[in-house]
Amino acid sequence: MTGIGSYAVRSSAPRARATARGRSVRPKITGWLFVAPFALVFLVFLVVPLAYAFWLSLFSKGLATGTTFSGLANYVKAFSDPEFLGGLLFVVVFSVVLIPLQMLVSLAAALVLDTVTTKLARFSRLMIFVPYAIPAVIGALMWGFLYSPGFGPLAQVFALFHASAPNLLGSHDVFGALLNVVTWQWSGYYMIIIYAALQGIDSSLYEAARIDGANQWQIALRIKLPLVASALVLILVFALIGTLQFFTEPQVLAPSSNGVITPSFTPNMYAYNLAFANSQINYASAISFALGLVVFVGVYIFLFATRKKGRIV
Amino acid sequence: MGAHVFLVVLVIYFLLPLWWLIVASTKDAHGLFSGTGGALWFDKTFALFDNLGLLFTYNDGIYLRWLGNSVLYAVSGGAGATALAILAGYGFAKFAFPGRRLSLALLLGSVMVPLTALVIPTFAMLSQVGMTNTIWAVILPSLLNPFGVYLMMVYATDAIPDELLDAARVDGAGELRTFFTVALPLLRPAAVTVLLLSFVGTWNNYFLPLAVLSSNNLFPVTVGLGLWDGLANSASGTGTTSLWSLIILGSLVSIIPLIVAFLSLQRYWRGGLAVGSLK
C-alpha cells in the first residue's frame, strides 16, 4: 500500500496544522497517547530492523576469519557485483517498459468507464479490479499454467498447425511473460484510483467544453487528463516502488523456467537467496539496504522533480 | 459501441486466468494434460468433488491448516493494523503535540519505504531474538501500515468537525469517551477501507512468511501453494500429477473469500481509495 497519496499531504497538511494549533490548550500529551501504539510498532518493525540490517551490513563473514568488522566493504562489493548490478538493471528496464504500459491500460479503462454508464460498464469495472484481490503467488501460478507448453491453451493452438508451442518462460519471452502477469495483476487497482479521481471532477466543466464545441476526445485529453495528473503521478510512484522490489512473480515462476530465471534475477531474489541458500546474512543485509536506499532516493528525486515542474495537485 | 467492445475485450483478458482456474479445478490428472475439451473447456470427466476430497485430506489435511493460518494472520494483522491506524490517524489529525511535525515527516518518508525491503532486516532481527518460525513473526510485522495511518489522518481531518469534538468536551466527556462516541462512528468508511486493504495485504503476503517461517504447519496458504508448486516442478512426470490438481483447486478455494469480500464491500473501499488520490 506504499506510495499512494504522499502528494496529497502537501495540500492537507497546512489545514491540519491550523486545526492542531487551535487545540493547543489541551494537555500536550493526549495526542501522543493516540499515536503511541503505532509509534511503537513503527519503531520496533521499521526503525530497529533497518538499523540492525545496516549494522549487520558493516560486517563480513570469512571462512577463516569469522565475522569481522569491514566498514562499507559490503557496499563496495555490491556495487561491483555483476549479479546485483544485473538484477538492478533488469528491474530498472522492466519498470521503464511496464509502468507506461500499465498506466495506458488503466487510464484507457478508467476514461471509458467514466464516459459509459451502462450495466455492462459497472460489471466491467468490478471484473477488471478482481485480479487485485488475488495473491501475486496465485496470479503467477495461473499464468505459469497458461504459459505451459504442457497444459496451456497455446499447446492446442499450435497443435492445429502441427507445431509445438514455444516455452514462454524461455529466455526470449520471459520478459514479456512477466510483464503480462504484473499488468494483469495491478492495472485494475490503478484503474479504480484513476476512476475515483475522474468521478471527482466537476461535470459542469464538460458542459462548458461541449458548448465551446469540444468532442469526447478533446474533453478526455484537455480536461480530464490534466485533472487526474496527480493520481497518475501517485500511481507511477507506487508502481515504481513495487517493481524495483520485484520478487514474488519471478520467484514463483523460476522452477518452471528451466533456469532462465536465476537466483539473482532481481535484487530482492538475490538478497533472499544469499540469506537463505548461502546463509550470507551480512552481505544479504547490505544488498537489501542498498536496494531500499536506491528506491527511496530514486522516488524522492522523482517526486521533487515533478513537484518543481508546476504543481498538479 | 466501440467503448463496449473495448470493455468486453478487457473483461475477457482479466477473467481468462480465472476461467481457466475454474475449468481446470473440475479435471482429474488425466483431463488436465489431455482432456477432451482443451485447456479452456471442461473435460468429459467431472472430478471437482473428488479433487475437493483429496485437497482437504492430502497430507493429513495440511491445506485446511494453511487456510486457517491465513485467516489467523490476516484477521489479527488486519484488525490490529486498522486499530493502530485509526488511533494514530485521529491523533495526528486532531491534536497538537510536541514532535508532531517530525513524526509526520517520518510517517510520509516511511510510506515511500517499500515494505518488502524490510523483510530480510525483519528476519535478521527476529532470528536474533529467537522469534522466527512463530505466528508472531508474521502477525507483528503485519501491524505496520504507514499508508493506513496516512489515509485515516487525511480522512479524519475533514470527516470530524472540531466543533463536534469541542461540544462533547464541553459536555464533560473525557478524551477516550469523545473518541469512541463522536469520532469513531464518523471514521467508519475509512476504517473499512483500511481494514480491507490490510487484510488483503496480509492474506496475499508471500515474501515475509516465506522468510520467517520454516515449519510447514505454520505456513499461510500462499507459501503452502508455493511449496507444492516447487515440489510438483522438481518431480514433474514422476507420479506427482495429482499435486497439480491440488495446486489448482487450492488456489481457487483460497481466492474465493477475498473476491466475495471485495465485491460485497465495494461501496466502502471505493470511497476510501478516492481519499488517497483526490486530495
Side-chain angles (χ1 to χ4, degrees), chain B residues 110-121:
Chain B
S110 71
V111 168
M112 280 189 278
V113 174
L115 291 184
T116 40
L118 295 173
V119 169
I120 300 288

Side-chain angles (χ1 to χ4, degrees), chain A residues 43 58 91 93 186 190 258 267 301:
Chain A
L43 196 69
L58 300 177
V91 289
V93 173
W186 290 100
Y190 298 150
N258 283 327
I301 290 173

Side-chain angles (χ1 to χ4, degrees), chain A residues 163-267:
Chain A
S164 56
N167 179 10
L168 289 179
L169 293 173
S171 54
H172 288 299
D173 300 316
V174 73
F175 191 93
L178 286 170
L179 210 59
N180 175 52
V181 179
V182 182
T183 306
W184 175 84
Q185 185 100 49
W186 290 100
S187 294
Y189 180 61
Y190 298 150
M191 178 273 291
I192 290 281
I193 292 171
I194 302 173
Y195 176 78
L198 284 170
Q199 293 280 297
I201 298 175
D202 182 0
S203 58
S204 64
L205 283 175
Y206 308 148
E207 285 305 318
R210 227 166 274 137
I211 291 167
D212 289 344
N215 61 29
Q216 287 286 2
W217 278 104
Q218 286 166 324
I219 290 176
L221 290 180
R222 303 260 174 84
I223 299 179
K224 293 184 178 177
L225 199 59
L227 284 174
V228 297
S230 64
L232 293 177
V233 170
L234 297 178
I235 290 171
L236 211 156
V237 168
F238 187 27
L240 193 63
I241 293 173
T243 316
L244 293 176
Q245 295 286 319
F246 209 23
F247 175 79
T248 304
E249 291 86 350
Q251 176 79 14
V252 170
L253 290 173
S256 42
S257 77
N258 283 327
V260 172
I261 299 177
T262 58
S264 59
F265 195 68
T266 73

Side-chain angles (χ1 to χ4, degrees), chain B residues 87-151:
Chain B
L87 289 171
Y90 175 70
F92 276 125
K94 295 294 168 186
F95 293 92
F97 51 87
R100 180 177 177 279
R101 287 190 66 170
L102 178 69
S103 316
L104 264 183
L106 271 176
L107 177 73
L108 286 186
S110 71
V111 168
M112 280 189 278
V113 174
L115 291 184
T116 40
L118 295 173
V119 169
I120 300 288
T122 302
F123 164 77
M125 177 188 81
L126 290 175
S127 66
Q128 185 64 30
V129 294
M131 261 176 69
T132 49
N133 206 27
T134 62
I135 58 168
W136 304 111
V138 180
I139 295 174
L140 293 179
S142 303
L143 296 178
L144 180 73
N145 186 353
F147 177 67
V149 176
Y150 162 74
L151 209 137

